[in-house]
Amino acid sequence: MVERTNDEDVAHQLAELLEALALDSTVRARLARFGGLLAAANARTNLTAARDAGAIAEHVRDSLALAPFVRAPYVDVGSGGGFPGIVLALATGAATTLVESTGKKAKFLVDVARALGLELRVLPQRAEDAGREPGVRATFASATARAVGSLPTVMELTAPLLAVGGVALLQRALVEPAERAAAEDAAPILGLRPLEDIGLEGDLRIVRFIKETETPQRFPRRAGVPSKRPLCLTV
Ligand code: SAM
């Protein structure tokens, strides 16, 4: 009998766990391969808390909930081990850019893209810096940022990257009233307007903002400030 390596095991289990989802079989196979690569890399260096096929499948399912709303070109801020950016690049085929400031995670994302033959761009830098670069700023039709910060923080990181008409898709569990109020106050400051939330399973929802006008040049503020002093949020 041919023995499977740990990453092949995870890929195999993941393929089974994803079987119930209405996915193209090629997409399912590539998602499973991604899960295997993530598990293997995670065993060597800490990329994500999702360590086994079950946990990775949960992250894949969460990420896929965003797929119907992704428009190209698409950017994911703070991609970490590839959620939701790699999953959505695989599932939607949209031209994708991943912004990830931790070097080893950015390198993993480049390696995964190469292994899967995915043509995506990885920017190994902070979104505050990417958001000031000509050719990157104001160029995207949709943006995600999962588990990267409070709503006002991720709004400040994504709004400068969106073109006018682009949409920020921010997946959240419960949103505290103070955070929601801060997001509503911060929106017009950043050129955004809130759209209706999209309810997902349980408490999970996609909080959405459309970019209506150019984001003022003073945003994003310098690296670290959007998370240290989130707009309109008193902490
Ligand atoms: N989005 C992934 C997920 O849902 O599993 C990773 C979440 S992890 C908690 C947050 C990630 O965002 C980390 O990999 C961190 O390096 C990255 N990050 C945090 N702030 C960032 C910023 N300002 N610009 C780019 N990446 C950032």
Side-chain angles (χ1 to χ4, degrees), residues 130-164:
R132 298 195 168 281
E133 275 183 22
V136 178
R137 184 180 175 95
T139 58
F140 296 95
S142 59
T144 54
R146 179 178 184 260
V148 178
S150 67
L151 282 178
T153 298
V154 290
M155 288 162 68
E156 183 171 349
L157 298 180
T158 52
L161 295 167
L162 290 170
V164 169

mmCIF file of all heavy atoms in Angstrom, residues 130-164:
data_model
loop_
_atom_site.group_PDB
_atom_site.id
_atom_site.type_symbol
_atom_site.label_atom_id
_atom_site.label_comp_id
_atom_site.label_asym_id
_atom_site.label_seq_id
_atom_site.Cartn_x
_atom_site.Cartn_y
_atom_site.Cartn_z
ATOM 1 N N ALA A 130 0.176 49.868 0.865
ATOM 2 C CA ALA A 130 -0.390 49.499 -0.445
ATOM 3 C C ALA A 130 -1.431 50.534 -0.877
ATOM 4 O O ALA A 130 -1.512 50.897 -2.046
ATOM 5 C CB ALA A 130 -1.021 48.114 -0.363
ATOM 6 N N GLY A 131 -2.186 51.039 0.089
ATOM 7 C CA GLY A 131 -3.270 51.978 -0.202
ATOM 8 C C GLY A 131 -2.799 53.344 -0.659
ATOM 9 O O GLY A 131 -3.620 54.191 -1.014
ATOM 10 N N ARG A 132 -1.498 53.561 -0.644
ATOM 11 C CA ARG A 132 -0.955 54.842 -1.122
ATOM 12 C C ARG A 132 -0.261 54.699 -2.462
ATOM 13 O O ARG A 132 0.168 55.672 -3.066
ATOM 14 C CB ARG A 132 0.084 55.381 -0.129
ATOM 15 C CG ARG A 132 -0.487 55.657 1.209
ATOM 16 C CD ARG A 132 0.426 56.508 2.073
ATOM 17 N NE ARG A 132 -0.337 56.937 3.220
ATOM 18 C CZ ARG A 132 -1.209 57.927 3.194
ATOM 19 N NH1 ARG A 132 -1.360 58.648 2.112
ATOM 20 N NH2 ARG A 132 -1.905 58.235 4.264
ATOM 21 N N GLU A 133 -0.118 53.459 -2.915
ATOM 22 C CA GLU A 133 0.679 53.232 -4.133
ATOM 23 C C GLU A 133 -0.131 53.455 -5.394
ATOM 24 O O GLU A 133 -1.188 52.863 -5.572
ATOM 25 C CB GLU A 133 1.207 51.787 -4.146
ATOM 26 C CG GLU A 133 2.478 51.661 -3.377
ATOM 27 C CD GLU A 133 3.061 50.261 -3.442
ATOM 28 O OE1 GLU A 133 2.755 49.500 -4.371
ATOM 29 O OE2 GLU A 133 3.812 49.951 -2.516
ATOM 30 N N PRO A 134 0.422 54.293 -6.293
ATOM 31 C CA PRO A 134 -0.246 54.442 -7.593
ATOM 32 C C PRO A 134 -0.285 53.075 -8.284
ATOM 33 O O PRO A 134 0.656 52.295 -8.155
ATOM 34 C CB PRO A 134 0.685 55.403 -8.361
ATOM 35 C CG PRO A 134 1.621 55.984 -7.351
ATOM 36 C CD PRO A 134 1.683 55.053 -6.182
ATOM 37 N N GLY A 135 -1.376 52.779 -8.940
ATOM 38 C CA GLY A 135 -1.494 51.464 -9.601
ATOM 39 C C GLY A 135 -2.110 50.429 -8.679
ATOM 40 O O GLY A 135 -2.500 49.348 -9.126
ATOM 41 N N VAL A 136 -2.186 50.753 -7.390
ATOM 42 C CA VAL A 136 -2.849 49.854 -6.435
ATOM 43 C C VAL A 136 -4.042 50.600 -5.832
ATOM 44 O O VAL A 136 -5.166 50.081 -5.800
ATOM 45 C CB VAL A 136 -1.879 49.396 -5.319
ATOM 46 C CG1 VAL A 136 -2.592 48.508 -4.311
ATOM 47 C CG2 VAL A 136 -0.680 48.662 -5.916
ATOM 48 N N ARG A 137 -3.795 51.831 -5.395
ATOM 49 C CA ARG A 137 -4.877 52.632 -4.804
ATOM 50 C C ARG A 137 -6.018 52.816 -5.818
ATOM 51 O O ARG A 137 -5.775 53.034 -7.010
ATOM 52 C CB ARG A 137 -4.326 54.010 -4.388
ATOM 53 C CG ARG A 137 -5.355 54.883 -3.665
ATOM 54 C CD ARG A 137 -4.757 56.229 -3.265
ATOM 55 N NE ARG A 137 -5.757 57.101 -2.676
ATOM 56 C CZ ARG A 137 -5.979 57.231 -1.369
ATOM 57 N NH1 ARG A 137 -5.242 56.556 -0.517
ATOM 58 N NH2 ARG A 137 -6.913 58.038 -0.924
ATOM 59 N N ALA A 138 -7.234 52.721 -5.331
ATOM 60 C CA ALA A 138 -8.448 53.006 -6.127
ATOM 61 C C ALA A 138 -8.545 52.165 -7.397
ATOM 62 O O ALA A 138 -8.976 52.675 -8.436
ATOM 63 C CB ALA A 138 -8.502 54.498 -6.464
ATOM 64 N N THR A 139 -8.154 50.906 -7.321
ATOM 65 C CA THR A 139 -8.187 50.077 -8.538
ATOM 66 C C THR A 139 -9.088 48.841 -8.424
ATOM 67 O O THR A 139 -9.237 48.128 -9.406
ATOM 68 C CB THR A 139 -6.767 49.580 -8.903
ATOM 69 O OG1 THR A 139 -6.232 48.851 -7.805
ATOM 70 C CG2 THR A 139 -5.841 50.726 -9.267
ATOM 71 N N PHE A 140 -9.674 48.562 -7.266
ATOM 72 C CA PHE A 140 -10.368 47.279 -7.089
ATOM 73 C C PHE A 140 -11.899 47.425 -7.072
ATOM 74 O O PHE A 140 -12.424 48.429 -6.581
ATOM 75 C CB PHE A 140 -9.902 46.609 -5.791
ATOM 76 C CG PHE A 140 -8.441 46.253 -5.844
ATOM 77 C CD1 PHE A 140 -7.483 47.105 -5.315
ATOM 78 C CD2 PHE A 140 -8.023 45.083 -6.473
ATOM 79 C CE1 PHE A 140 -6.132 46.797 -5.384
ATOM 80 C CE2 PHE A 140 -6.670 44.770 -6.558
ATOM 81 C CZ PHE A 140 -5.721 45.623 -6.012
ATOM 82 N N ALA A 141 -12.580 46.377 -7.586
ATOM 83 C CA ALA A 141 -14.044 46.388 -7.611
ATOM 84 C C ALA A 141 -14.634 45.750 -6.358
ATOM 85 O O ALA A 141 -15.804 45.958 -6.042
ATOM 86 C CB ALA A 141 -14.544 45.644 -8.848
ATOM 87 N N SER A 142 -13.843 44.940 -5.662
ATOM 88 C CA SER A 142 -14.310 44.395 -4.386
ATOM 89 C C SER A 142 -13.116 44.122 -3.483
ATOM 90 O O SER A 142 -11.994 43.914 -3.959
ATOM 91 C CB SER A 142 -15.146 43.110 -4.581
ATOM 92 O OG SER A 142 -14.401 42.121 -5.239
ATOM 93 N N ALA A 143 -13.389 44.168 -2.169
ATOM 94 C CA ALA A 143 -12.323 43.989 -1.182
ATOM 95 C C ALA A 143 -12.875 43.211 0.005
ATOM 96 O O ALA A 143 -14.027 43.398 0.401
ATOM 97 C CB ALA A 143 -11.812 45.345 -0.700
ATOM 98 N N THR A 144 -12.034 42.337 0.564
ATOM 99 C CA THR A 144 -12.384 41.636 1.798
ATOM 100 C C THR A 144 -11.262 41.844 2.812
ATOM 101 O O THR A 144 -10.129 42.163 2.442
ATOM 102 C CB THR A 144 -12.564 40.115 1.557
ATOM 103 O OG1 THR A 144 -11.387 39.609 0.925
ATOM 104 C CG2 THR A 144 -13.763 39.809 0.682
ATOM 105 N N ALA A 145 -11.577 41.646 4.079
ATOM 106 C CA ALA A 145 -10.574 41.687 5.154
ATOM 107 C C ALA A 145 -11.189 40.898 6.296
ATOM 108 O O ALA A 145 -12.111 41.378 6.958
ATOM 109 C CB ALA A 145 -10.288 43.123 5.578
ATOM 110 N N ARG A 146 -10.727 39.672 6.486
ATOM 111 C CA ARG A 146 -11.354 38.770 7.473
ATOM 112 C C ARG A 146 -10.461 38.680 8.699
ATOM 113 O O ARG A 146 -9.260 38.408 8.580
ATOM 114 C CB ARG A 146 -11.537 37.395 6.833
ATOM 115 C CG ARG A 146 -12.150 36.338 7.710
ATOM 116 C CD ARG A 146 -12.287 35.059 6.895
ATOM 117 N NE ARG A 146 -12.956 34.007 7.607
ATOM 118 C CZ ARG A 146 -12.320 33.003 8.214
ATOM 119 N NH1 ARG A 146 -10.996 32.938 8.218
ATOM 120 N NH2 ARG A 146 -12.999 32.067 8.829
ATOM 121 N N ALA A 147 -11.057 38.938 9.861
ATOM 122 C CA ALA A 147 -10.347 38.822 11.143
ATOM 123 C C ALA A 147 -9.105 39.715 11.182
ATOM 124 O O ALA A 147 -8.055 39.311 11.669
ATOM 125 C CB ALA A 147 -9.962 37.358 11.408
ATOM 126 N N VAL A 148 -9.241 40.915 10.654
ATOM 127 C CA VAL A 148 -8.095 41.833 10.621
ATOM 128 C C VAL A 148 -8.274 42.995 11.604
ATOM 129 O O VAL A 148 -7.287 43.583 12.041
ATOM 130 C CB VAL A 148 -7.840 42.347 9.176
ATOM 131 C CG1 VAL A 148 -6.696 43.340 9.108
ATOM 132 C CG2 VAL A 148 -7.543 41.168 8.243
ATOM 133 N N GLY A 149 -9.496 43.307 11.987
ATOM 134 C CA GLY A 149 -9.683 44.403 12.941
ATOM 135 C C GLY A 149 -11.145 44.797 13.030
ATOM 136 O O GLY A 149 -12.015 44.170 12.414
ATOM 137 N N SER A 150 -11.384 45.868 13.805
ATOM 138 C CA SER A 150 -12.755 46.367 13.968
ATOM 139 C C SER A 150 -13.261 46.894 12.620
ATOM 140 O O SER A 150 -12.466 47.141 11.699
ATOM 141 C CB SER A 150 -12.771 47.499 14.995
ATOM 142 O OG SER A 150 -12.068 48.606 14.442
ATOM 143 N N LEU A 151 -14.568 47.108 12.520
ATOM 144 C CA LEU A 151 -15.116 47.615 11.254
ATOM 145 C C LEU A 151 -14.452 48.913 10.812
ATOM 146 O O LEU A 151 -13.987 48.997 9.669
ATOM 147 C CB LEU A 151 -16.639 47.799 11.360
ATOM 148 C CG LEU A 151 -17.496 46.544 11.247
ATOM 149 C CD1 LEU A 151 -18.966 46.897 11.429
ATOM 150 C CD2 LEU A 151 -17.288 45.846 9.906
ATOM 151 N N PRO A 152 -14.351 49.941 11.673
ATOM 152 C CA PRO A 152 -13.714 51.179 11.183
ATOM 153 C C PRO A 152 -12.269 50.958 10.732
ATOM 154 O O PRO A 152 -11.800 51.590 9.789
ATOM 155 C CB PRO A 152 -13.781 52.122 12.392
ATOM 156 C CG PRO A 152 -14.855 51.580 13.253
ATOM 157 C CD PRO A 152 -14.882 50.099 13.033
ATOM 158 N N THR A 153 -11.556 50.033 11.401
ATOM 159 C CA THR A 153 -10.168 49.746 10.997
ATOM 160 C C THR A 153 -10.130 49.154 9.596
ATOM 161 O O THR A 153 -9.406 49.640 8.718
ATOM 162 C CB THR A 153 -9.509 48.753 11.990
ATOM 163 O OG1 THR A 153 -9.468 49.357 13.269
ATOM 164 C CG2 THR A 153 -8.097 48.389 11.552
ATOM 165 N N VAL A 154 -10.925 48.126 9.361
ATOM 166 C CA VAL A 154 -10.851 47.474 8.045
ATOM 167 C C VAL A 154 -11.482 48.346 6.963
ATOM 168 O O VAL A 154 -11.085 48.270 5.796
ATOM 169 C CB VAL A 154 -11.430 46.039 8.053
ATOM 170 C CG1 VAL A 154 -10.523 45.113 8.835
ATOM 171 C CG2 VAL A 154 -12.828 45.987 8.578
ATOM 172 N N MET A 155 -12.416 49.210 7.345
ATOM 173 C CA MET A 155 -12.947 50.160 6.349
ATOM 174 C C MET A 155 -11.835 51.105 5.897
ATOM 175 O O MET A 155 -11.695 51.415 4.719
ATOM 176 C CB MET A 155 -14.101 50.962 6.962
ATOM 177 C CG MET A 155 -15.361 50.129 7.163
ATOM 178 S SD MET A 155 -16.508 50.913 8.321
ATOM 179 C CE MET A 155 -17.027 52.349 7.371
ATOM 180 N N GLU A 156 -11.025 51.561 6.851
ATOM 181 C CA GLU A 156 -9.934 52.478 6.483
ATOM 182 C C GLU A 156 -8.869 51.771 5.648
ATOM 183 O O GLU A 156 -8.219 52.389 4.803
ATOM 184 C CB GLU A 156 -9.307 53.098 7.748
ATOM 185 C CG GLU A 156 -8.225 54.098 7.407
ATOM 186 C CD GLU A 156 -7.713 54.900 8.603
ATOM 187 O OE1 GLU A 156 -8.342 54.837 9.690
ATOM 188 O OE2 GLU A 156 -6.691 55.599 8.429
ATOM 189 N N LEU A 157 -8.677 50.468 5.882
ATOM 190 C CA LEU A 157 -7.669 49.721 5.115
ATOM 191 C C LEU A 157 -8.163 49.372 3.714
ATOM 192 O O LEU A 157 -7.369 49.299 2.775
ATOM 193 C CB LEU A 157 -7.272 48.437 5.860
ATOM 194 C CG LEU A 157 -6.617 48.632 7.232
ATOM 195 C CD1 LEU A 157 -6.272 47.287 7.863
ATOM 196 C CD2 LEU A 157 -5.357 49.504 7.120
ATOM 197 N N THR A 158 -9.479 49.164 3.564
ATOM 198 C CA THR A 158 -9.986 48.721 2.251
ATOM 199 C C THR A 158 -10.468 49.884 1.371
ATOM 200 O O THR A 158 -10.277 49.829 0.147
ATOM 201 C CB THR A 158 -11.142 47.700 2.410
ATOM 202 O OG1 THR A 158 -12.136 48.254 3.282
ATOM 203 C CG2 THR A 158 -10.648 46.383 2.992
ATOM 204 N N ALA A 159 -11.071 50.922 1.981
ATOM 205 C CA ALA A 159 -11.674 51.993 1.156
ATOM 206 C C ALA A 159 -10.682 52.611 0.167
ATOM 207 O O ALA A 159 -11.010 52.779 -1.008
ATOM 208 C CB ALA A 159 -12.287 53.075 2.052
ATOM 209 N N PRO A 160 -9.441 52.929 0.586
ATOM 210 C CA PRO A 160 -8.522 53.549 -0.375
ATOM 211 C C PRO A 160 -8.181 52.630 -1.548
ATOM 212 O O PRO A 160 -7.815 53.106 -2.625
ATOM 213 C CB PRO A 160 -7.264 53.833 0.472
ATOM 214 C CG PRO A 160 -7.757 53.855 1.884
ATOM 215 C CD PRO A 160 -8.864 52.856 1.932
ATOM 216 N N LEU A 161 -8.309 51.312 -1.341
ATOM 217 C CA LEU A 161 -7.960 50.363 -2.404
ATOM 218 C C LEU A 161 -9.075 50.239 -3.446
ATOM 219 O O LEU A 161 -8.831 49.832 -4.582
ATOM 220 C CB LEU A 161 -7.681 48.980 -1.797
ATOM 221 C CG LEU A 161 -6.449 48.906 -0.881
ATOM 222 C CD1 LEU A 161 -6.450 47.603 -0.087
ATOM 223 C CD2 LEU A 161 -5.167 49.009 -1.706
ATOM 224 N N LEU A 162 -10.314 50.580 -3.057
ATOM 225 C CA LEU A 162 -11.457 50.400 -3.957
ATOM 226 C C LEU A 162 -11.556 51.539 -4.969
ATOM 227 O O LEU A 162 -11.308 52.711 -4.632
ATOM 228 C CB LEU A 162 -12.760 50.352 -3.146
ATOM 229 C CG LEU A 162 -12.985 49.109 -2.289
ATOM 230 C CD1 LEU A 162 -14.190 49.326 -1.359
ATOM 231 C CD2 LEU A 162 -13.205 47.873 -3.161
ATOM 232 N N ALA A 163 -11.965 51.179 -6.185
ATOM 233 C CA ALA A 163 -12.356 52.202 -7.165
ATOM 234 C C ALA A 163 -13.749 52.686 -6.783
ATOM 235 O O ALA A 163 -14.485 51.971 -6.080
ATOM 236 C CB ALA A 163 -12.384 51.576 -8.556
ATOM 237 N N VAL A 164 -14.132 53.876 -7.242
ATOM 238 C CA VAL A 164 -15.507 54.337 -7.000
ATOM 239 C C VAL A 164 -16.456 53.311 -7.628
ATOM 240 O O VAL A 164 -16.235 52.853 -8.758
ATOM 241 C CB VAL A 164 -15.718 55.758 -7.580
ATOM 242 C CG1 VAL A 164 -17.197 56.132 -7.569
ATOM 243 C CG2 VAL A 164 -14.895 56.769 -6.780
#
